[in-house]
Amino acid sequence: MQSPEPTPRAVSLRAFVWTAIGALTLATAGFAYSQLPRDRVEGPPGNPFGPGAVCTETEYVTGSGWQCDIVDMDVAHVPVIAATPYNGQCAHLKVVDASWACIAALPAAATS
């Protein structure tokens, strides 16, 4: 008499365990990567909003000078890097790709 053949499993236990370990490893690595601090770009020196604030858009107001329009709060306390300065005349600056970029030129009356 022949011995009955073992019933095949749909997925072997070994394959299931290694797939689960691989998935958990990838999930843990993805979560850890998402928690890494990201660099931020700081605005001009003399920030009136305190050490946790980062100015990312500023404009020149005739009579009162530069004022910060958009302030990002650094609540995660990530490192802040200085933006590359803008050289030239401009009335409205914004941080774009870690550099100050002019988004509005000075009016004709101000340049003459």
Side-chain angles (χ1 to χ4, degrees):
M1 185 177 266
Q2 290 182 332
S3 62
E5 292 188 29
T7 57
R9 294 185 186 163
V11 176
S12 71
L13 182 59
R14 180 178 292 169
F16 176 77
V17 169
W18 281 111
T19 301
I21 289 173
L24 287 172
T25 302
L26 286 174
T28 302
F31 176 75
Y33 180 76
S34 72
Q35 300 305 307
L36 289 174
R38 304 286 185 244
D39 288 340
R40 302 283 303 276
V41 179
E42 71 177 44
N47 187 352
F49 301 104
V54 179
C55 181
T56 59
E57 187 171 329
T58 185
E59 68 178 314
Y60 189 79
V61 177
T62 306
S64 60
W66 289 98
Q67 75 176 20
C68 187
D69 290 340
I70 298 180
V71 177
D72 287 342
M73 296 303 296
D74 186 16
V75 295
H77 305 293
V78 296
V80 177
I81 59 174
T84 305
Y86 178 80
N87 292 323
Q89 294 184 343
C90 187
H92 200 156
L93 295 169
K94 181 176 183 171
V95 175
V96 177
D97 295 329
S99 297
W100 285 104
C102 185
I103 58 175
L106 287 172
T111 58
S112 55

